[in-house]
Amino acid sequence: MLEKPLLYLVTDRLGLNQQQFLERIELACQGGVDLLQLREKEISSAEYYKLAGHVKKITDRYQVPLIIDDQVAIAQAVDAAGVHLGQADLPVAVARRILGPHKIIGATTKTVVQARRAVEEGANYLGVGAIFPTTTHVKTVHTSVATLKRIKQEAKITVFAIGGLNAENLSVLRNTNVDGVAAVSAIMKATQPQQVAQQLKSTVIDVLS
């Protein structure tokens, strides 16, 4: 269901208008993003649905699976590839029951216990972190590299490291055996998203190989 995705983009509009935001997503897809999560925390369901439709046109063009953050109904409405759930969202098991066996379900986990539960309930991948402090508006809790490594050792599903990661600090992930890296600000704040995505993916390949 997830074919060796190395670079996972989680969006943050960061004050961009819609055109700028969509252009940045397209450039990131051109730069080699393997998976894209549309993350919106402060807009209405109607706005989220419209924005998701625009984003999906782009991700479909580049054959990048679109994951919707939090909102199972929005994921269904736009026929996204799946949904990503935090610890305060619907339980993974409930989302799996709603979405069926073929959609991708990801889960944010910060501890081994949370990771075990997500796997047991049917998650396809885990986003583990924050490895470093982030500059996004989303509340984060630090997760140590040791915990990340232990989660990867136990989990038999795809594991992404997330949280303040960029080409300069990815070396901390050496020997963790994680499957990929999720990036937010490193790409979304870049003046040249395509080039940054390319560089980041190249660094991920080097560090994780």
Side-chain angles (χ1 to χ4, degrees):
M1 194 173 285
L2 283 172
E3 296 183 9
K4 296 186 178 178
L6 293 168
L7 183 57
Y8 180 9
L9 173 61
V10 181
T11 68
D12 188 333
R13 276 195 286 174
L14 305 164
L16 302 170
N17 65 38
Q18 182 167 295
Q19 182 178 348
Q20 293 169 327
F21 179 67
L22 295 176
E23 286 174 352
R24 196 152 293 204
I25 285 174
E26 179 140 21
L27 289 168
C29 288
Q30 290 173 0
V33 166
D34 299 302
L35 192 66
L36 188 142
Q37 179 192 143
L38 179 61
R39 183 167 69 183
E40 292 291 336
K41 300 291 186 183
E42 298 176 357
I43 61 176
S44 69
S45 293
E47 292 173 306
Y48 204 165
Y49 168 68
K50 289 177 185 175
L51 183 60
H54 291 305
V55 172
K56 190 168 186 293
K57 287 179 182 176
I58 297 170
T59 55
D60 282 355
R61 194 153 60 239
Y62 294 93
Q63 297 183 308
V64 174
L66 173 63
I67 305 297
I68 300 295
D69 184 51
D70 295 351
Q71 302 290 342
V72 172
I74 302 296
Q76 286 182 303
V78 299
D79 193 26
V83 69
H84 185 89
L85 303 168
Q87 291 298 310
D89 298 324
L90 274 180
V92 170
V94 175
R96 176 60 71 203
R97 198 159 64 239
I98 294 168
L99 293 175
H102 303 299
K103 292 295 186 181
I104 298 169
I105 298 179
T108 296
T109 60
K110 302 175 185 304
T111 68
V112 174
V113 171
Q114 290 175 355
R116 285 175 186 153
R117 185 187 309 120
V119 172
E120 288 168 0
E121 292 189 359
N124 299 104
Y125 74 86
L126 305 176
V128 181
I131 304 303
F132 291 107
T134 72
T135 57
T136 67
H137 298 300
V138 178
K139 285 185 179 180
T140 58
V141 176
H142 173 67
T143 301
S144 69
V145 172
T147 296
L148 170 67
K149 191 170 183 177
R150 187 174 168 199
I151 287 172
K152 179 54 191 171
Q153 286 172 340
E154 286 200 20
K156 303 305 179 187
I157 61 175
T158 300
V159 173
F160 294 98
I162 188 171
L165 293 163
N166 56 52
E168 283 69 50
N169 61 23
L170 281 183
S171 60
V172 300
L173 301 180
R174 287 192 190 278
N175 302 316
T176 60
N177 295 317
V178 296
D179 300 281
V181 169
V184 189
S185 298
I187 294 175
M188 294 304 299
K189 286 187 175 180
T191 54
Q192 296 180 306
Q194 181 177 356
Q195 288 88 332
V196 169
Q198 288 171 336
Q199 179 190 14
L200 192 53
K201 190 167 183 178
S202 176
T203 306
V204 170
I205 292 169
D206 175 61
V207 169
L208 301 186
S209 61

